[in-house]
């Protein structure tokens, strides 16, 4: 647990287990989304009704943010991908032990969570500049302006760092806990812990989504 299947792709240092499980999680989200929405009708059937309920959940979560519908795709994609990736640590996939190591949640790799956080940073910074211009982070050459600019830059650095570390640490800690309990008490005892970790997987995806919404809201809001 915690050790990665390390290899090389040309001159790149690669965690192959993270790449495999990351692509697997993306494939699951894409395939489920496709099958739930491939035959849309005016009177929805069960799968379409479920898909519409999920979209309503994201619409309700995003609130009164300016041009909210524009931001639903990234918010929904992040939540569904992170939730699927988190749950992979509790599914039989992680019991597949290859010679190079096991296949666990890709979100137990700080490289992936950091990449997701950087995507969020670039996204809300882009829309912040689009809405307010460069003045959303640059406040002039006065003493007050320079200090405010430096504070904003520091905030931009700490936001994705906190997102990445929170998700990575919680998922990795949960997987370690399940593995330790499984090793000590065989099959039955870890079940409550695994059920709790499924709950944590949802909560961490939800927290990541809500913080992303908060950052986008602060970036595009007219108040500063």
């Amino acid at each position: 647990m915690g050790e990665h299947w390390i290899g090389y792709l040309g001159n790149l240092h690669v965690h192959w287990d993270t790449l495999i499980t990351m692509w697997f999680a993306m494939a699951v989200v894409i395939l489920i989304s496709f099958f739930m929405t491939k035959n849309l009708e005016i009177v929805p059937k069960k799968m379409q009704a479920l898909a519409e309920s999920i979209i309503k959940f994201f619409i309700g979560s995003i609130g009164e943010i300016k041009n909210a519908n524009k931001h639903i795709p990234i918010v929904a994609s992040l939540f569904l991908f992170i939730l699927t990736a988190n749950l992979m640590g509790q599914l039989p996939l992680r019991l597949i032990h290859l010679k190079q190591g096991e296949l666990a949640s890709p979100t137990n790799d700080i490289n992936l969570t950091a990449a997701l956080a950087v995507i969020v940073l670039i996204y809300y910074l882009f829309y912040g500049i689009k809405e307010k211009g460069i003045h959303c982070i640059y406040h002039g050459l006065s003493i007050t302006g320079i200090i405010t600019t430096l504070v904003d830059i520091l905030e931009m650095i700490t936001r994705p760092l906190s997102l990445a570390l929170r998700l990575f640490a919680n998922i990795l800690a949960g997987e370690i806990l399940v593995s330790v309990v499984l090793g000590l008490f065989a099959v039955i005892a870890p079940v409550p812990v695994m059920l709790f970790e499924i709950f944590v997987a949802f909560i961490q995806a939800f927290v990541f989504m809500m913080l992303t919404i908060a950052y986008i809201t602060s970036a595009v809001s007219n108040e500063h």
Side-chain angles (χ1 to χ4, degrees):
M1 176 61 63
E3 296 183 2
H4 291 282
W5 170 10
I6 299 173
Y8 293 90
L9 185 61
N11 294 324
L12 297 176
H13 185 87
V14 176
H15 289 175
W16 283 111
D17 56 323
T18 300
L19 281 180
I20 292 171
T21 51
M22 177 188 71
W23 281 101
F24 182 78
M26 288 191 292
V28 168
V29 172
I30 291 171
L31 288 174
I32 291 177
S33 301
F34 173 76
F35 285 115
M36 291 179 73
T37 59
K38 67 174 181 177
N39 294 315
L40 298 179
E41 299 178 0
I42 296 177
V43 179
K45 296 180 179 179
K46 291 182 179 179
M47 292 298 287
Q48 183 180 338
L50 177 59
E52 290 178 0
S53 298
I54 293 172
I55 295 299
K56 287 179 182 177
F57 164 73
F58 292 120
I59 293 174
S61 298
I62 207 165
E64 299 298 325
I65 183 174
K66 186 176 182 181
N67 297 322
N69 290 341
K70 182 188 299 183
H71 306 296
I72 288 176
I74 189 169
V75 169
S77 297
L78 284 171
F79 177 85
L80 294 173
F81 170 74
I82 292 172
L83 177 60
T84 304
N86 290 350
L87 290 175
M88 289 175 65
Q90 308 304 325
L91 297 176
L93 185 64
R94 74 185 296 264
L95 300 178
I96 300 175
H97 290 273
L98 304 176
K99 181 179 179 181
Q100 297 85 352
E102 69 178 32
L103 297 174
S105 298
T107 43
N108 79 356
D109 190 335
I110 187 64
N111 295 289
L112 176 63
T113 60
L116 293 173
V118 169
I119 290 172
V120 173
L121 170 65
I122 294 172
Y123 185 88
Y124 81 74
L125 186 59
F126 170 80
Y127 276 99
I129 294 175
K130 185 177 180 181
E131 287 290 331
K132 304 175 183 176
I134 195 63
H135 297 292
C136 71
I137 55 173
Y138 174 69
H139 304 280
L141 294 176
S142 64
I143 298 298
T144 303
I146 292 174
I147 293 175
T148 306
T149 300
L150 292 175
V151 169
D152 281 352
I153 292 173
L154 179 61
E155 188 177 31
M156 283 191 297
I157 295 172
T158 56
R159 279 179 173 179
L161 180 63
S162 65
L163 277 175
L165 290 178
R166 180 185 293 107
L167 180 58
F168 159 72
N170 279 283
I171 299 305
L172 181 60
E175 292 189 354
I176 292 174
L177 179 60
V178 171
S179 296
V180 170
V181 176
L182 185 63
L184 292 176
F185 301 106
V187 178
I188 298 177
V191 172
V193 179
M194 293 181 71
L195 292 175
F196 176 73
E197 286 306 314
I198 291 174
F199 172 74
V200 170
F202 177 86
I203 292 299
Q204 290 304 314
F206 183 75
V207 168
F208 197 102
M209 179 188 73
M210 294 307 297
L211 287 175
T212 298
I213 292 172
Y215 297 157
I216 295 172
T217 301
S218 66
V220 301
S221 173
N222 290 327
E223 297 179 1
H224 189 74

Coordinates of all heavy atoms in Angstrom, one line a residue, residues 93-134:
L93 N -11.2 -4.5 -7.7 CA -10.0 -4.2 -8.5 C -8.7 -4.0 -7.7 O -7.7 -4.4 -8.2 CB -10.3 -2.9 -9.3 CG -9.3 -2.4 -10.3 CD1 -9.1 -3.4 -11.4 CD2 -9.6 -1.0 -10.8
R94 N -8.8 -3.5 -6.5 CA -7.7 -3.3 -5.7 C -7.1 -4.6 -5.1 O -6.0 -4.6 -4.6 CB -7.9 -2.3 -4.5 CG -8.8 -2.9 -3.4 CD -9.1 -1.8 -2.4 NE -7.9 -1.3 -1.7 CZ -7.4 -1.8 -0.6 NH1 -8.0 -2.7 0.1 NH2 -6.3 -1.2 -0.1
L95 N -7.9 -5.7 -5.2 CA -7.4 -7.0 -4.8 C -6.6 -7.7 -5.9 O -6.1 -8.8 -5.6 CB -8.6 -7.9 -4.4 CG -9.5 -7.3 -3.2 CD1 -10.6 -8.2 -2.9 CD2 -8.6 -7.1 -2.0
I96 N -6.5 -7.1 -7.1 CA -5.7 -7.7 -8.1 C -4.3 -7.3 -7.9 O -3.9 -6.1 -8.0 CB -6.2 -7.1 -9.5 CG1 -7.7 -7.5 -9.8 CG2 -5.3 -7.7 -10.6 CD1 -8.2 -6.9 -11.1
H97 N -3.5 -8.3 -7.5 CA -2.1 -8.0 -7.2 C -1.2 -8.4 -8.4 O -1.1 -9.6 -8.7 CB -1.7 -8.7 -5.9 CG -2.3 -8.2 -4.7 ND1 -1.7 -7.1 -4.0 CD2 -3.4 -8.5 -4.0 CE1 -2.5 -6.8 -2.9 NE2 -3.5 -7.6 -3.0
L98 N -0.7 -7.5 -9.1 CA 0.3 -7.7 -10.1 C 1.7 -7.9 -9.6 O 1.9 -7.5 -8.4 CB 0.2 -6.6 -11.2 CG -1.2 -6.3 -11.8 CD1 -1.1 -5.1 -12.7 CD2 -1.7 -7.5 -12.5
K99 N 2.6 -8.3 -10.4 CA 4.0 -8.5 -9.9 C 4.5 -7.1 -9.5 O 5.3 -7.0 -8.6 CB 4.8 -9.1 -11.1 CG 6.3 -9.3 -10.7 CD 7.0 -9.9 -11.8 CE 8.5 -10.1 -11.5 NZ 9.2 -10.7 -12.6
Q100 N 4.1 -6.1 -10.2 CA 4.6 -4.7 -10.0 C 3.9 -4.0 -8.8 O 4.3 -3.0 -8.3 CB 4.4 -3.8 -11.2 CG 5.2 -4.3 -12.4 CD 4.5 -5.4 -13.2 OE1 3.4 -5.9 -12.8 NE2 5.0 -5.8 -14.3
G101 N 2.7 -4.5 -8.4 CA 2.0 -3.9 -7.3 C 0.5 -4.0 -7.5 O 0.0 -4.6 -8.5
E102 N -0.3 -3.5 -6.6 CA -1.8 -3.6 -6.7 C -2.4 -2.4 -7.4 O -1.7 -1.3 -7.6 CB -2.4 -3.7 -5.3 CG -2.3 -2.4 -4.5 CD -2.9 -2.5 -3.1 OE1 -2.9 -3.6 -2.6 OE2 -3.4 -1.5 -2.6
L103 N -3.6 -2.5 -7.8 CA -4.3 -1.4 -8.5 C -5.3 -0.8 -7.5 O -6.3 -1.4 -7.2 CB -5.1 -2.0 -9.8 CG -4.2 -2.5 -10.9 CD1 -5.0 -3.2 -12.0 CD2 -3.3 -1.5 -11.4
A104 N -5.0 0.3 -7.0 CA -5.8 1.0 -6.0 C -6.4 2.2 -6.6 O -6.4 2.5 -7.8 CB -5.0 1.3 -4.7
S105 N -7.0 3.1 -5.7 CA -7.6 4.3 -6.2 C -6.5 5.2 -6.8 O -5.5 5.4 -6.2 CB -8.3 5.1 -5.1 OG -9.3 4.3 -4.5
P106 N -6.8 5.8 -8.0 CA -5.8 6.7 -8.6 C -5.7 8.0 -7.7 O -4.6 8.7 -7.8 CB -6.3 7.0 -10.0 CG -7.8 6.7 -9.9 CD -7.9 5.6 -8.9
T107 N -6.7 8.3 -6.9 CA -6.6 9.5 -6.1 C -5.8 9.3 -4.9 O -5.6 10.2 -4.1 CB -8.1 9.9 -5.7 OG1 -8.8 8.8 -5.3 CG2 -8.8 10.6 -6.8
N108 N -5.2 8.1 -4.7 CA -4.2 8.0 -3.6 C -2.8 8.4 -4.1 O -1.8 8.2 -3.4 CB -4.2 6.6 -3.0 CG -3.4 5.5 -3.9 OD1 -2.9 5.8 -4.9 ND2 -3.4 4.3 -3.4
D109 N -2.7 9.0 -5.3 CA -1.5 9.4 -5.8 C -1.5 11.0 -5.9 O -2.4 11.6 -6.5 CB -1.3 8.9 -7.2 CG 0.1 9.2 -7.8 OD1 0.8 10.1 -7.4 OD2 0.5 8.4 -8.7
I110 N -0.6 11.6 -5.2 CA -0.6 13.1 -5.1 C -0.4 13.7 -6.5 O -0.9 14.9 -6.7 CB 0.6 13.6 -4.1 CG1 0.5 15.1 -3.9 CG2 1.9 13.2 -4.7 CD1 -0.8 15.5 -3.2
N111 N 0.2 13.0 -7.4 CA 0.3 13.6 -8.7 C -1.0 13.8 -9.4 O -1.2 14.8 -10.1 CB 1.2 12.6 -9.6 CG 2.6 12.5 -9.1 OD1 3.4 13.4 -9.2 ND2 2.9 11.3 -8.5
L112 N -1.9 12.8 -9.2 CA -3.3 13.0 -9.9 C -4.1 14.1 -9.2 O -4.7 14.9 -9.8 CB -4.0 11.7 -9.8 CG -5.5 11.7 -10.3 CD1 -5.5 12.1 -11.8 CD2 -6.2 10.4 -10.1
T113 N -4.1 14.1 -7.8 CA -4.9 15.1 -7.1 C -4.3 16.5 -7.4 O -5.1 17.5 -7.5 CB -4.9 14.8 -5.6 OG1 -3.6 14.8 -5.1 CG2 -5.6 13.4 -5.3
A114 N -3.0 16.6 -7.5 CA -2.4 17.9 -7.8 C -2.8 18.3 -9.2 O -3.1 19.5 -9.5 CB -0.9 17.8 -7.7
A115 N -2.8 17.4 -10.2 CA -3.2 17.7 -11.5 C -4.7 18.2 -11.6 O -5.0 19.2 -12.3 CB -3.1 16.5 -12.4
L116 N -5.6 17.6 -10.8 CA -7.0 18.0 -10.7 C -7.0 19.4 -10.1 O -7.8 20.3 -10.6 CB -7.8 17.0 -9.9 CG -8.0 15.6 -10.5 CD1 -8.7 14.7 -9.4 CD2 -8.8 15.7 -11.8
A117 N -6.3 19.7 -9.1 CA -6.3 21.0 -8.5 C -5.8 22.1 -9.4 O -6.3 23.2 -9.4 CB -5.4 20.9 -7.2
V118 N -4.7 21.8 -10.2 CA -4.2 22.7 -11.1 C -5.2 23.0 -12.2 O -5.4 24.2 -12.7 CB -2.9 22.2 -11.8 CG1 -2.5 23.1 -13.0 CG2 -1.8 22.2 -10.7
I119 N -6.0 22.0 -12.6 CA -7.1 22.2 -13.6 C -8.1 23.2 -13.1 O -8.5 24.1 -13.7 CB -7.8 20.9 -14.0 CG1 -6.8 20.0 -14.8 CG2 -9.1 21.1 -14.7 CD1 -7.3 18.6 -15.0
V120 N -8.5 23.0 -11.8 CA -9.4 24.0 -11.1 C -8.8 25.4 -11.1 O -9.5 26.3 -11.4 CB -9.7 23.5 -9.7 CG1 -10.6 24.5 -9.0 CG2 -10.5 22.1 -9.8
L121 N -7.5 25.5 -10.7 CA -6.9 26.8 -10.7 C -6.9 27.5 -12.0 O -7.3 28.7 -12.1 CB -5.4 26.6 -10.2 CG -4.5 27.8 -10.3 CD1 -5.0 28.9 -9.4 CD2 -3.1 27.5 -10.0
I122 N -6.5 26.8 -13.1 CA -6.5 27.4 -14.4 C -7.9 27.8 -14.8 O -8.1 28.9 -15.4 CB -5.9 26.4 -15.4 CG1 -4.4 26.2 -15.1 CG2 -6.0 26.9 -16.8 CD1 -3.7 25.1 -15.9
Y123 N -8.9 26.9 -14.5 CA -10.2 27.2 -14.9 C -10.8 28.5 -14.3 O -11.3 29.4 -14.9 CB -11.1 26.0 -14.6 CG -12.5 26.1 -15.1 CD1 -12.9 25.7 -16.3 CD2 -13.6 26.7 -14.3 CE1 -14.2 25.8 -16.8 CE2 -14.8 26.8 -14.7 CZ -15.2 26.4 -16.0 OH -16.4 26.5 -16.5
Y124 N -10.7 28.6 -12.9 CA -11.3 29.7 -12.3 C -10.5 31.0 -12.5 O -11.0 32.1 -12.6 CB -11.6 29.5 -10.8 CG -10.5 29.6 -9.8 CD1 -10.0 30.9 -9.5 CD2 -9.9 28.5 -9.2 CE1 -8.9 31.0 -8.5 CE2 -8.9 28.6 -8.3 CZ -8.4 29.9 -7.9 OH -7.4 30.0 -7.0
L125 N -9.2 30.8 -12.7 CA -8.4 32.0 -13.0 C -8.7 32.5 -14.4 O -8.8 33.8 -14.6 CB -6.9 31.6 -12.9 CG -5.9 32.8 -13.1 CD1 -6.1 33.9 -12.1 CD2 -4.5 32.3 -13.0
F126 N -8.9 31.6 -15.4 CA -9.3 32.0 -16.7 C -10.6 32.8 -16.7 O -10.7 33.9 -17.3 CB -9.4 30.8 -17.6 CG -10.0 31.1 -19.0 CD1 -9.3 31.6 -20.0 CD2 -11.4 30.8 -19.2 CE1 -9.9 31.9 -21.2 CE2 -12.0 31.1 -20.4 CZ -11.2 31.6 -21.4
Y127 N -11.6 32.3 -16.0 CA -12.9 33.0 -16.0 C -12.9 34.2 -15.1 O -13.6 35.2 -15.4 CB -14.0 32.0 -15.5 CG -14.5 31.2 -16.6 CD1 -14.1 29.9 -16.8 CD2 -15.4 31.7 -17.6 CE1 -14.5 29.1 -17.9 CE2 -15.9 30.9 -18.6 CZ -15.4 29.6 -18.8 OH -15.9 28.9 -19.9
G128 N -12.0 34.2 -14.1 CA -11.9 35.5 -13.4 C -11.3 36.6 -14.2 O -11.8 37.7 -14.2
I129 N -10.3 36.3 -15.0 CA -9.7 37.3 -15.9 C -10.6 37.7 -17.0 O -10.7 38.8 -17.4 CB -8.3 36.8 -16.5 CG1 -7.3 36.6 -15.3 CG2 -7.8 37.7 -17.5 CD1 -6.0 36.0 -15.8
K130 N -11.4 36.7 -17.5 CA -12.4 37.0 -18.5 C -13.4 37.9 -18.0 O -13.9 38.8 -18.8 CB -13.0 35.7 -19.0 CG -13.9 35.8 -20.2 CD -14.5 34.5 -20.6 CE -15.4 34.6 -21.8 NZ -16.0 33.3 -22.3
E131 N -13.9 37.8 -16.8 CA -14.9 38.6 -16.2 C -14.4 40.0 -15.8 O -15.1 41.0 -16.0 CB -15.6 37.9 -15.1 CG -16.5 36.7 -15.4 CD -17.8 37.1 -16.1 OE1 -18.2 38.3 -15.9 OE2 -18.3 36.4 -17.0
K132 N -13.3 40.0 -15.1 CA -12.8 41.2 -14.5 C -11.6 41.8 -15.1 O -11.1 42.9 -14.7 CB -12.5 40.9 -13.0 CG -13.7 40.4 -12.2 CD -13.3 40.0 -10.8 CE -14.4 39.4 -10.0 NZ -13.9 39.0 -8.7
G133 N -10.9 41.1 -16.0 CA -9.7 41.5 -16.5 C -8.5 41.1 -15.6 O -8.7 40.5 -14.5
I134 N -7.3 41.6 -15.9 CA -6.1 41.2 -15.1 C -6.2 41.8 -13.7 O -5.5 41.4 -12.7 CB -4.9 41.7 -15.8 CG1 -3.6 41.1 -15.2 CG2 -4.8 43.2 -15.7 CD1 -3.6 39.6 -15.3

